[in-house]
Amino acid sequence: SCSCSSSSSSLSARRTRVQQPHMNLFFLLTCLCFIIIGARSELAPVAPLLPLQLSTTATTNLLRSDSCGFVLDCGAALKSLSWVRAEGRCQLSCLWSRRAPRGGARLQRQVVRGGGATSSMSQGGSSNVIDGRRISQLVQEEVKLHVEQLKSEHGVEPGLAVLIIGDRTDSQVYVKHKVLACEKCGIRSVKVELGKETTQEEAERVVRELNGDSSIHGILVQLPIPEHLDEKKLLAEISFEKDVDGFHPTNIGLLAMRDRKALAQPCTPSGVMEILRREKVETKGAKAVVVGRSNIVGIPMALLLLKANATVEVVHSQTPRAELESAVKSADILVVAAGKAGLVDGSWIKEGSVVIDVGMNSIPDASKKNGYRLVGDVQYDEAAKRAKLITPVPGGVGPMTVAMLMHNTVTLAATQNKVPVPMLKGDLV
């Protein structure tokens, strides 16, 4: 337990000495005590008990928790102390730099209702940057609870099978991330590896065997596969009841129909919609522009936005540049998934719009150790100045794809066992 005085007189007496750099440690310890007490007792009104005066704040990290969050700002010496409470755990993180200037310490209290994140300091330091990693974490924590519920109440253990063919290093990395996410959420994962010389018949036989395994609820073929294999035929072998990627023609057909719902929705577009929901972005009546028409992102993205009552326009690689520019300038919500670095000029972005950049492109960069850096399809720096909200690359949409894959697996497990389907109900930001 912590021993610290809460009397207003003692704290008031110390106020005049906050300017001294060595007092930063005292205020840090004091705040830690109150934070820990608040975390244990779930008493939200902690900050008003600390009569600390504010100086100019250099940086502010927005926090997310189930009840409340805190930021302690001590100028340049202690940039931030953040507390996040999730599932009964108290997480603390500190960011230090050089000595503090005159002016003292700052404690902010922010009340939040669960939900996602509206700020990320990782790209540009702006409060309009969407933290996809944080929202992904929240989704996966919720999925974990759903898995535990399925196990305890219905005896159902969700299972995901990932089929990887060949020896591509990037595919191995992607599969590793999915397996780790399964472990985090409590989902049983089965990794099936086949050599690059695998025949079409052998690959299809493996898929049919997985279709018949009642302990496997979702099947995913890691793309790309070796060129000698027929990708469409192989994917068509996956039972649409176990189509965890949501690409089966039956699922896409259901997605396209009003008042009907696919068993599983494509993960990346579904992740985008979850970002919009948790960031409280109004889609009803909004002008939404989707750049790209792929089966994986563009087309299902447009369908999901239509179902959310947006007015949707789709442009693509064959759209004349002048029309592309015109469409982007009109967008209240812009989703770009063209796979071309810097395709969308930042100056085209409508003031106050929401920009979701799905693109992930590597460009040469001699300043980087590996010789390249990752960028999106939108020219970020200029776009960030104009957008109300924007996703960074990396750290925006990418983490959400894996999170929604976990959600789809749980959905299919519940559907196949004829038990209630857990819904993502995370509070909005």
Side-chain angles (χ1 to χ4, degrees):
S1 61
C2 294
S3 174
C4 49
S5 172
S6 60
S7 67
S8 58
S9 60
S10 62
L11 283 176
S12 177
R14 295 184 181 103
R15 266 172 78 177
T16 59
R17 297 197 298 270
V18 172
Q19 294 180 358
Q20 301 177 26
H22 71 271
M23 292 302 294
N24 285 326
L25 181 59
F26 169 79
F27 284 103
L28 169 61
L29 294 175
T30 302
C31 295
L32 276 173
C33 291
F34 278 105
I35 288 172
I36 293 172
I37 292 171
R40 292 182 177 275
S41 62
E42 297 191 4
L43 295 175
V46 177
L49 300 178
L50 297 171
L52 305 179
Q53 295 300 308
L54 310 188
S55 63
T56 302
T57 303
T59 61
T60 300
N61 285 324
L62 298 185
L63 305 176
R64 292 295 174 265
S65 73
D66 292 338
S67 60
C68 54
F70 295 88
V71 174
L72 177 68
D73 196 309
C74 300
L78 176 62
K79 281 190 174 180
S80 69
L81 163 73
S82 62
W83 167 51
V84 177
R85 184 174 63 80
E87 295 185 5
R89 298 187 305 274
C90 185
Q91 304 169 8
L92 296 168
S93 62
C94 301
L95 180 62
W96 295 86
S97 63
R98 292 179 298 178
R99 295 182 60 188
R102 293 182 175 271
R106 173 174 187 164
L107 178 69
Q108 294 180 322
R109 175 178 176 272
Q110 299 175 356
V111 178
V112 266
R113 307 293 184 189
T118 58
S119 176
S120 169
M121 307 306 293
S122 62
Q123 188 164 355
S126 175
S127 62
N128 68 337
V129 180
I130 297 171
D131 189 346
R133 292 189 177 97
R134 178 60 183 150
I135 301 178
S136 172
Q137 179 184 344
L138 292 170
V139 170
Q140 290 183 64
E141 288 173 353
E142 197 169 342
V143 168
K144 181 179 180 180
L145 295 177
H146 294 161
V147 171
E148 293 172 352
Q149 181 182 359
L150 284 176
K151 290 178 180 179
S152 62
E153 297 182 8
H154 305 287
V156 175
E157 181 184 24
L160 173 65
V162 181
L163 174 59
I164 180 170
I165 307 174
D167 54 5
R168 287 178 60 108
T169 303
D170 56 347
S171 292
Q172 292 287 350
V173 171
Y174 296 145
V175 169
K176 179 181 179 181
H177 289 321
K178 293 165 184 175
V179 170
L180 289 175
C182 284
E183 292 177 1
K184 179 179 179 180
C185 294
I187 295 172
R188 187 173 73 92
S189 64
V190 176
K191 179 181 175 183
V192 181
E193 297 184 81
L194 300 178
K196 61 182 179 181
E197 302 302 327
T198 300
T199 65
Q200 185 77 26
E201 293 74 16
E202 290 170 339
E204 291 179 6
R205 183 172 65 252
V206 169
V207 171
R208 287 193 293 268
E209 290 174 355
L210 294 172
N211 283 336
D213 187 341
S214 60
S215 69
I216 297 297
H217 305 102
I219 302 172
L220 178 152
V221 176
Q222 182 64 46
L223 302 177
I225 58 178
E227 293 183 357
H228 69 276
L229 298 177
D230 189 324
E231 178 182 308
K232 291 181 180 178
K233 284 186 63 178
L234 182 59
L235 295 180
E237 286 292 332
I238 300 175
S239 167
F240 96 93
E241 290 91 350
K242 297 190 177 187
D243 170 35
V244 74
D245 268 331
F247 296 153
H248 193 284
T250 301
N251 275 323
I252 294 296
L254 291 170
L255 188 65
M257 298 175 68
R258 293 187 63 185
D259 304 320
R260 299 292 295 274
K261 187 176 181 180
L263 292 182
Q265 298 177 161
C267 299
T268 300
S270 185
V272 171
M273 296 305 295
E274 191 67 16
I275 287 175
L276 296 178
R277 186 178 76 86
R278 295 192 182 234
E279 294 290 346
K280 296 190 293 187
V281 175
E282 181 61 65
T283 56
K284 183 179 180 180
K287 173 64 179 296
V289 173
V290 178
V291 181
R293 54 176 176 175
S294 70
N295 291 332
I296 297 174
V297 181
I299 292 175
M301 187 76 256
L303 293 174
L304 285 172
L305 286 166
L306 278 172
K307 284 199 167 188
N309 297 311
T311 301
V312 182
E313 180 178 358
V314 178
V315 291
H316 47 79
S317 60
Q318 300 304 307
T319 302
R321 186 169 178 82
E323 293 183 23
L324 171 64
E325 178 180 350
S326 177
V328 169
K329 286 182 174 179
S330 71
D332 301 311
I333 301 171
L334 176 66
V335 182
V336 187
K340 185 176 181 181
L343 173 66
V344 174
D345 194 304
S347 65
W348 298 352
I349 302 302
K350 182 179 180 180
E351 290 282 353
S353 63
V354 176
V355 179
I356 308 294
D357 192 347
V358 184
M360 181 76 76
N361 313 282
S362 61
I363 62 173
D365 187 340
S367 67
K368 300 295 182 180
K369 184 176 180 180
N370 53 15
Y372 69 89
R373 61 187 171 94
L374 296 176
V375 299
D377 293 349
V378 178
Q379 295 176 13
Y380 180 86
D381 291 342
E382 181 63 29
K385 297 175 184 177
R386 307 171 68 87
K388 177 183 178 181
L389 291 170
I390 187 169
T391 57
V393 177
V397 176
M400 291 300 298
T401 300
V402 175
M404 301 313 293
L405 175 66
M406 299 299 104
H407 172 62
N408 280 356
T409 303
V410 172
T411 297
L412 294 181
T415 301
Q416 291 164 37
N417 286 275
K418 297 180 173 56
V419 300
V421 176
M423 303 297 292
L424 290 176
K425 299 178 182 178
D427 293 337
L428 306 180
V429 176

